[in-house]
Amino acid sequence: MPARKPQSLNNRHDLPAEKAARERAESAITPRTALTTSPPAELTGHARAIAVWKHTLKLYGETEARIVTAFDQGILIDYCKSVEELIELDGLRAGSLESHGLMVKSLKALTAKLKKKDAKTILAEQMAITEKLETIMAQIIKLDGRIDRKRALIHSLRQSLYLTPRSRAGVAPAEREEEIKDEMSKLLDEIS
């Protein structure tokens, strides 16, 4: 069962006493230290992560509700660094694909030369290029797996930080307590 929404995101029609009790309970565990758009020291040297931090906190600042607090700083740092790492992995994958394309062109050029004299040398070069192509493809496949796992982690972090539509709106309602029947209901149940 998902965690309960903060009272600031709750749009249920509670009684004033229930709302006040829940707000008191939440304020008792809410830190006074606010998160600011200036990035924490853990992000120093991570330019893309700093940009994600500033953008995310700017979005939080546009909402009326206080969604994240200083308690959430660690998970927000992890989210920012993960996004930066995903961008880096995408870059590595793009570089590998580019290398793969260049190797394929070299292989085609060598195949065109195959009709000429030195077939043994050309075949040896083709084999070497084919082995490099296999290595590059293995790299691309590994990067794809890492990228998929990183995207899943980022999605999970986004849900935890209320950055997805479903996480903002889809919190399951609290379970209903068993109804206590009054004396008249018990009598009517016995008669029927």
Side-chain angles (χ1 to χ4, degrees):
M1 186 162 121
R4 294 178 70 179
K5 278 188 194 177
Q7 179 61 26
S8 57
L9 296 178
N10 194 355
N11 56 5
R12 288 182 10 185
H13 298 288
D14 290 334
L15 296 173
E18 291 173 335
K19 282 183 184 179
R22 187 165 174 184
E23 286 173 1
R24 277 193 309 275
E26 283 184 17
S27 67
I29 61 167
T30 303
R32 290 186 179 91
T33 307
L35 291 175
T36 62
T37 55
S38 60
E42 292 89 349
L43 295 180
T44 302
H46 299 276
R48 290 180 178 136
I50 289 172
V52 172
W53 175 274
K54 289 179 179 180
H55 175 72
T56 305
L57 282 176
K58 182 182 172 206
L59 288 175
Y60 283 137
E62 292 174 2
T63 62
E64 289 180 26
R66 187 172 177 190
I67 298 172
V68 293
T69 66
F71 285 142
D72 304 312
Q73 181 172 337
I75 194 169
L76 194 54
I77 290 169
D78 291 344
Y79 168 70
C80 295
K81 284 185 175 179
S82 295
V83 170
E84 181 181 55
E85 290 166 1
L86 177 62
I87 293 167
E88 291 169 358
L89 286 172
D90 279 337
L92 287 173
R93 184 180 184 280
S96 294
L97 283 172
E98 187 177 325
S99 296
H100 183 269
L102 292 173
M103 291 288 181
V104 168
K105 285 180 184 178
S106 297
L107 191 59
K108 286 180 181 179
L110 283 173
T111 304
K113 289 181 182 179
L114 189 59
K115 296 174 184 172
K116 297 183 181 174
K117 295 181 184 175
D118 199 9
K120 285 187 179 182
T121 308
I122 292 173
L123 286 174
E125 288 179 28
Q126 281 182 326
M127 291 300 291
I129 291 174
T130 304
E131 288 175 10
K132 288 179 184 178
L133 280 172
E134 289 175 2
T135 304
I136 291 172
M137 281 306 296
Q139 267 183 327
I140 291 171
I141 290 169
K142 287 177 186 176
L143 286 171
D144 281 345
R146 289 191 64 201
I147 288 170
D148 288 344
R149 288 190 304 275
K150 188 66 71 174
R151 283 193 175 127
L153 170 66
I154 289 171
H155 180 70
S156 173
L157 291 171
R158 282 182 178 147
Q159 287 176 325
S160 298
L161 292 166
Y162 288 101
L163 293 173
T164 63
R166 187 169 182 186
S167 65
R168 289 188 304 272
V171 177
E175 292 183 24
R176 233 183 191 181
E177 292 182 21
E178 189 176 319
E179 292 181 20
I180 300 173
K181 294 186 177 184
D182 62 343
E183 294 298 319
M184 182 58 87
S185 296
K186 289 179 184 177
L187 285 172
L188 290 173
D189 285 344
E190 288 176 8
I191 294 174
S192 1

